[in-house]
Amino acid sequence: MLDQNQINELRAQPVAAQKLFVDGAWTAGSGETLPVVSPIDGSVLTTVVSASAEDMDLAIKAARNAFDDGRWSRMAPAGRKKILHRLADIIEREALALSVLGVRDNGTELNMAFKAEAGSAAATFRYYAEAIDKVYGEVAPTASTVLGLIHREPVGVVGAIVPWNFPLMIGAWKIAPALAEGNSVVLKPAETASLSLLRLAELAVEAGLPDGVFNVVTGKGSVAGEALALSMDVDVLTFTGSGPVGRRLLEYSARSNLKKIYLELGGKSPNVVFADAPDLAQAAKISAMGIFRNSGQVCVAGSRLLVQENIHDDFIAALARHAGALNVGDPLDLASDIGAVNSLTQLQGNLDFVAKAQEEGAHRYLGGERILTDTGGYYMEPTIMTGVRPGDTLARREVFGPVLAVTAFTDEAEAVRLANDSDFGLAGAVWTADLSRAHRMIRAMKTGVVHVNTYGGADGTVPLGGVRQSGNGHDKSLHAMNKYVDLKTAWIQL
Ligand code: NAD
């Protein structure tokens, strides 16, 4: 049970000016800084270093040295396992402090951040700690005169670039499997969500992770991020963020050392509600949270609601009742269901999408406005736009905000057509009591994840990743470990 007094004490603590975490120590780097603006009230919390390309190169060198001398890469699996378990324990110990710090930085409602950020990060480190001595190479079924061994070798230096919506959770999805396989990591957080990841680096050293194995370099994507992606000494780059940046990373790889690039990009995920859903009231409630939690700043958000025509009006009314009852406000107040939008730029973008949708003929059914302006923070009402046509901007572009696009359909064939009429393919859902229809929809939907009679909530045992322009790599599950190894064949004549 979270305690409001404890949260209030933590939020009152000043945040020192931040440094870079390189080779196990804090360093000021270039000396240039970026302000950290809290979306809760628009105040400047502290500063982070705006790392230069030279700062990034130093971190990559530290990671390379750590990798080459084997302090981690050749540590016995049992040793690596112990350290990652210890890190999970420490994250659990620090869970509230880490979550409050993260929320002050990025605005996610604490009720969610506590589970999805610190809780999930601890679980992720534990999961991959456990996997270290359970996932290993193979002996191939060759002729008896030879022996074919398939070794799994760490790739070397892994660069990770992450977004601001769930920095600790998404960071852990990349750092934990990369470290479990024996790699060194250089991580570049988003400009507007660095604090919890910087703290994680310090906790990793406390857990016993050798110096240089995990480095955090903050700063601008166009400078620090670009330097990481263009480096000739980074072997794999694992990214979560927007499509346009993902495209650039592929170019950077082509212009440098052809490093492998794994992309987890955006979505416009269809949430398909059939009239035969087992419990329409429950479907309306969960669909509301499926789009509005974390102010819609969730990659898998069910941002395109496709509703069967004969239940459309009643369903939208029920959904709007839930959405309208959500308490939007200070994310560190436990009474808030929904927190702040991450930045003023993001908020303005959300409002522009609403205006554009109206221009294109959609109906503003609920919300659509900035609220709580007097707090100085960035808050927006849950917004429902009905009558959105498949070609409209709101049906095609990712908002990454609390804006739901609603379109009606008549039958299953039309539902499939609309669901797949997208450049994206990250997630989606189908609500139906008909088992055969559920399985048909699972097969027909061109997305990396299909929820049935729920939205969201997957744990670490299953992969998360998209198809089409939602990306090419999977985080989570044992499959994610394969991104951070090279397979080496040994062919031995007996
Ligand atoms: P973004 O692409 O703007 O930024 C992501 C990261 O890339 C940041 O750290 C940024 O500094 C860095 N970056 C920016 N320009 C760069 C460059 N030229 N070179 C190298 N790095 C650069 O995305 P965002 O606004 O932080 O996050 C929102 C996006 O992330 C949305 O599209 C969302 O759908 C996506 N996302 C996807 C998933 C998933 O698992 N598929 C999860 C969460 C968020």
Side-chain angles (χ1 to χ4, degrees):
M1 196 59 181
L2 294 174
D3 173 354
Q4 189 67 59
N5 291 328
Q6 225 181 332
I7 294 163
N8 294 344
E9 275 169 32
L10 286 165
R11 80 181 299 170
Q13 289 178 4
V15 184
Q18 303 289 297
K19 294 185 173 173
L20 308 177
F21 198 84
V22 176
D23 213 3
W26 294 110
T27 156
S30 69
E32 277 187 46
T33 60
L34 295 171
V36 174
V37 177
S38 176
I40 298 178
D41 56 8
S43 65
V44 175
L45 261 183
T46 183
T47 55
V48 290
V49 175
S50 179
S52 63
E54 293 71 35
D55 295 334
M56 184 54 86
D57 285 345
L58 286 175
I60 296 167
K61 274 199 183 76
R64 174 61 61 190
N65 288 340
F67 182 78
D68 285 349
D69 74 14
R71 65 187 86 164
W72 178 252
S73 52
R74 292 199 288 276
M75 186 186 281
R80 294 207 305 271
K81 177 175 176 174
K82 207 168 177 177
I83 290 171
L84 293 192
H85 265 305
R86 214 181 288 138
L87 179 54
D89 292 341
I90 294 173
I91 295 171
E92 279 168 4
R93 183 194 77 201
E94 297 291 321
L96 188 62
L98 268 170
S99 306
V100 171
L101 183 67
V103 168
R104 292 170 79 189
D105 201 3
N106 85 337
T108 303
E109 53 277 7
L110 183 70
N111 281 314
M112 182 174 194
F114 186 70
K115 285 188 224 134
E117 285 277 87
S120 148
T124 300
F125 278 103
R126 216 175 273 302
Y127 181 87
Y128 290 106
E130 279 301 332
I132 286 176
D133 54 8
K134 298 179 186 61
V135 176
Y136 45 88
E138 294 158 26
V139 181
T142 56
S144 60
T145 52
V146 288
L147 183 59
L149 303 179
I150 305 169
H151 290 278
R152 292 168 69 87
E153 296 197 332
V155 295
V157 175
V158 172
I161 301 183
V162 295
W164 43 259
N165 56 334
F166 293 103
L168 211 49
M169 174 179 84
I170 294 172
W173 288 350
K174 299 184 185 307
I175 305 158
L179 292 181
E181 290 287 10
N183 300 286
S184 298
V185 176
V186 179
L187 178 130
K188 212 296 281 173
E191 291 83 333
T192 56
S194 303
L195 302 183
S196 55
L197 286 165
L198 286 164
R199 179 78 179 118
L200 179 70
E202 205 173 30
L203 298 180
V205 169
E206 184 189 334
L209 195 72
D211 293 349
V213 173
F214 175 46
N215 308 275
V216 179
V217 179
T218 54
K220 292 184 182 162
S222 56
V223 181
E226 187 177 293
L228 185 61
L230 274 172
S231 168
M232 295 298 289
D233 209 18
V234 168
D235 301 286
V236 161
L237 188 73
T238 174
F239 173 76
T240 295
S242 63
V245 175
R247 268 174 215 279
R248 285 190 179 200
L249 300 182
L250 293 170
E251 282 175 25
Y252 296 156
S253 168
R255 277 165 48 195
S256 56
N257 63 342
L258 295 177
K259 59 180 71 60
K260 291 190 193 103
I261 305 277
Y262 294 108
L263 304 175
E264 291 296 335
L265 308 175
K268 192 82 206 179
S269 299
N271 181 18
V272 185
V273 183
F274 286 95
D276 68 1
D279 182 346
L280 282 166
Q282 178 74 352
K285 187 173 173 191
I286 294 186
S287 296
M289 287 316 278
I291 172 67
F292 298 125
R293 64 199 165 127
N294 198 13
S295 300
Q297 303 165 134
V298 178
C299 56
V300 296
S303 54
R304 267 192 308 145
L305 178 66
L306 307 177
V307 200
Q308 199 153 21
E309 207 169 44
N310 54 343
I311 56 161
H312 176 277
D313 293 359
D314 288 348
F315 190 80
I316 301 305
L319 181 89
R321 272 195 301 280
H322 288 294
L326 292 171
N327 187 10
V328 181
D330 184 335
L332 290 173
D333 182 340
L334 291 176
S336 298
D337 299 308
I338 308 287
V341 173
N342 180 256
S343 66
L344 199 51
T345 318
Q346 191 67 27
L347 176 61
Q348 192 51 55
N350 298 344
L351 298 172
D352 292 346
F353 271 108
V354 173
K356 180 82 179 162
Q358 282 181 292
E359 262 171 52
E360 291 180 351
H363 169 60
R364 178 145 69 112
Y365 190 98
L366 184 80
E369 302 285 348
R370 178 179 182 180
I371 50 171
L372 305 173
T373 313
D374 56 335
T375 61
Y378 317 134
Y379 300 91
M380 182 166 170
E381 294 172 306
T383 302
I384 300 176
M385 305 297 296
T386 54
V388 177
R389 291 164 310 169
D392 290 353
T393 307
L394 196 60
R396 309 212 69 83
R397 300 251 321 267
E398 180 186 45
V399 177
F400 216 56
V403 183
L404 179 65
V406 182
T407 304
F409 68 85
T410 50
D411 56 14
E412 191 177 314
E414 190 182 15
V416 169
R417 202 165 55 245
L418 288 172
N420 289 337
D421 184 11
S422 176
D423 294 334
F424 295 109
L426 188 52
V430 52
W431 298 80
T432 177
D434 179 338
L435 188 64
S436 301
R437 168 176 279 168
H439 283 288
R440 282 196 302 272
M441 291 297 291
I442 292 170
R443 287 194 180 173
M445 283 169 71
K446 294 181 182 156
T447 59
V449 179
V450 180
H451 304 95
V452 178
N453 296 330
T454 188
Y455 204 102
D459 69 15
T461 62
V462 288
L464 171 65
V467 295
R468 304 200 275 188
Q469 291 183 34
S470 289
N472 65 355
H474 286 97
D475 284 325
K476 307 201 300 173
S477 83
L478 295 181
H479 296 281
M481 297 176 82
N482 295 334
K483 297 193 292 189
Y484 308 111
V485 290
D486 285 324
L487 297 181
K488 179 185 277 178
T489 296
W491 187 259
I492 303 165
Q493 188 65 50
L494 299 179

